Amino acid sequence: MAKGYQRPSTLLDRPWHFCPGCNHGIAHRLVAEVVEEMGMVEKTVGVGSVGCGVFAYEYFNFDGIGPSHGRAPAVATGVKRVLPDHLVFTYQGDGDLAAIGTTEMVHSAVRGENITVIFVNNTLYGMTGGQMAPTTLTGQVTTTSPRGRGREQGFPFRVSEMLATLEGAAYVTRVALFNPAQVVRAKKAIRKAFEVQMQGLGFSLVEVLSACPTNWGLAPLEALKFVEEKMLPTYPLGEFKVPEGVKA
Ligand SMILES: Cc1ncc(C[n+]2csc(CCOP(=O)(O)OP(=O)(O)O)c2C)c(N)n1
């Protein structure tokens, strides 16, 4: 029988450590497929994060670095400046990128560093037990906002909208993975971000809305519905910035 799909050579053949229904595995696969399709296997450096994506280097079959919490864009900056012909990306959760790592993320965009950030937003700190993050939705219950995020805990941080205001940011988009059509769109966005980088157009970021069934206390299918019904009103999908000359 003909195989309709096979694992890209850029993903190693080992079981995920992710919880059932977690979207990190899909995000990993999309990145791996794009690297393979662009023929960049020998010239890619992935810079990981601290969080559920911490074992990225265990799965990707290309070079990788494990930086300290939130510092991935600073590390990627150094790598890209030394190896400008390489594809350099970070892979970060919202706790890593939008809390402890806010400075590195914002200032690499301000400087217009020619790197790509894959930003996996699941609205909380997944790895450490579901604590509130800056991206937690208003009213959302987490282990550290048991009555729901209220006025005292501030408001959801719209990273993509903010970055789109910066001159150094070339391509900024938000995608999701709650159904197959969205997964196809997410892959196209990752490809576009990587192409923007290889054309030297500046900083690119793909925000990926991602389900966390374990910490949301939902079954995997309910968690996909949560992304569509609860996350989209706060985090609308779309391209917030596209460089001139690149098709939107
Ligand atoms: C310096 C430091 N502070 C705090 C922690 C604890 N810690 C580990 S992962 C994490 C947050 C992870 O959340 P996120 O980045 O959203 O990724 P997710 O696990 O949800 O994919 C935190 C606070 C740490 N490891 N190091």
Side-chain angles (χ1 to χ4, degrees):
M1 210 164 73
K3 265 193 192 167
Y5 177 79
Q6 59 187 38
R7 179 176 48 79
S9 62
T10 39
L11 264 192
L12 294 166
D13 187 11
R14 43 179 72 141
W16 299 123
H17 73 284
F18 301 122
C19 303
C22 170
N23 287 173
H24 268 302
I26 300 175
H28 274 49
R29 175 170 59 80
L30 297 183
V31 170
E33 286 178 357
V34 174
V35 170
E36 180 179 68
E37 287 165 20
M38 288 175 71
M40 293 298 286
V41 183
E42 297 299 325
K43 284 194 166 187
T44 293
V45 181
V47 184
S49 60
V50 175
C52 291
V54 71
F55 294 127
Y57 55 80
E58 293 272 337
Y59 304 123
F60 290 135
N61 197 11
F62 44 73
D63 288 338
I65 298 177
S68 53
H69 206 6
R71 313 298 176 234
V75 173
T77 293
V79 174
K80 183 71 182 184
R81 287 186 179 203
V82 171
L83 300 170
D85 64 332
H86 279 53
L87 175 63
V88 181
F89 71 89
T90 73
Y91 184 100
Q92 303 176 257
D94 48 306
D96 186 88
L97 174 136
I100 193 169
T102 308
T103 306
E104 283 74 11
M105 172 267 293
V106 170
H107 284 285
S108 56
V110 166
R111 296 190 306 271
E113 297 295 343
N114 205 21
I115 59 171
T116 301
V117 172
I118 308 294
F119 165 37
V120 180
N121 180 0
N122 61 11
T123 73
L124 41 68
Y125 294 1
M127 186 195 219
T128 45
Q131 293 86 356
M132 196 188 84
T135 45
T136 297
L137 305 174
T138 297
Q140 188 178 349
V141 171
T142 70
T143 49
T144 50
S145 57
R147 288 187 292 276
R149 187 179 193 179
R151 177 67 189 85
E152 278 170 28
Q153 291 86 34
F155 301 96
F157 184 6
R158 293 186 183 88
V159 169
S160 292
E161 283 85 341
M162 182 192 69
L163 288 180
T165 67
L166 303 174
E167 279 170 70
Y171 180 58
V172 183
T173 188
R174 183 182 291 123
V175 296
L177 304 170
F178 58 80
N179 67 31
Q182 297 298 335
V183 172
V184 170
R185 269 180 220 141
K187 181 172 172 182
K188 283 190 183 144
I190 293 168
R191 172 86 192 224
K192 203 164 175 179
F194 285 175
E195 300 276 4
V196 163
Q197 179 189 151
M198 295 321 293
Q199 287 169 40
L201 299 176
F203 182 90
S204 50
L205 179 137
V206 181
E207 177 174 350
V208 184
L209 302 184
S210 186
C212 182
T214 298
N215 287 298
W216 294 349
L218 298 174
L221 285 177
E222 289 172 353
L224 294 178
K225 255 198 206 139
F226 182 92
V227 175
E228 186 174 7
E229 291 170 7
K230 305 281 191 231
M231 284 182 82
L232 292 195
T234 298
Y235 299 117
L237 305 181
E239 291 184 314
F240 297 94
K241 195 155 181 201
V242 182
E244 257 176 59
V246 173
K247 232 174 94 200

